[in-house]
Amino acid sequence: MSAANSFLGLPSELADGNPARMVIFGVAHGSAYPDQDSSGHETAADQIRAASQEDAPLIAHWDFDLDGPLFNGGPINCIDGGNIKTVMRDNEGNRQRIEVKTREIRPPVLFPSSSAATAP
């Protein structure tokens, strides 16, 4: 994933090789509701990333919600880890893949396309 199509232009790894303090990743499917077609969720995380591009140049600016810059004026220490491959209606498999990825990184930020995709 290039910074041009990542969330807020974040890198996929930090330039200094240190571990990121936060990793953002996308999930299209968690546990599907019975008889529901959630195929429309498959591109949601990438659409959020695309919508964030307009604000990517402002990442170091003052954030009024935080009462300061997003990374406290320091280096960016967050990466976009891409999407976890999930399959509509593979409820157990999706939950396992989400859990494995989440346990690899702490603390994660999850872009769920469905309320059924939760972090363990």
Side-chain angles (χ1 to χ4, degrees), residues 18-91:
N18 286 322
R21 293 184 62 203
M22 187 172 16
V23 178
I24 296 170
F25 58 89
V27 174
H29 305 287
S31 296
Y33 292 105
D35 302 321
Q36 294 294 314
D37 179 0
S38 61
S39 61
H41 300 175
E42 292 176 4
T43 62
D46 291 332
Q47 290 178 21
I48 291 169
R49 288 183 178 98
S52 78
Q53 295 309 300
E54 183 179 345
D55 290 327
L58 308 175
I59 198 166
H61 287 210
W62 192 270
D63 185 308
F64 288 93
D65 294 321
L66 300 175
D67 197 27
L70 181 60
F71 296 101
N72 202 25
I76 293 173
N77 51 21
C78 178
I79 63 172
D80 187 330
N83 295 336
I84 297 173
K85 177 72 174 153
T86 57
V87 178
M88 186 170 53
R89 296 191 181 87
D90 180 11
N91 300 341

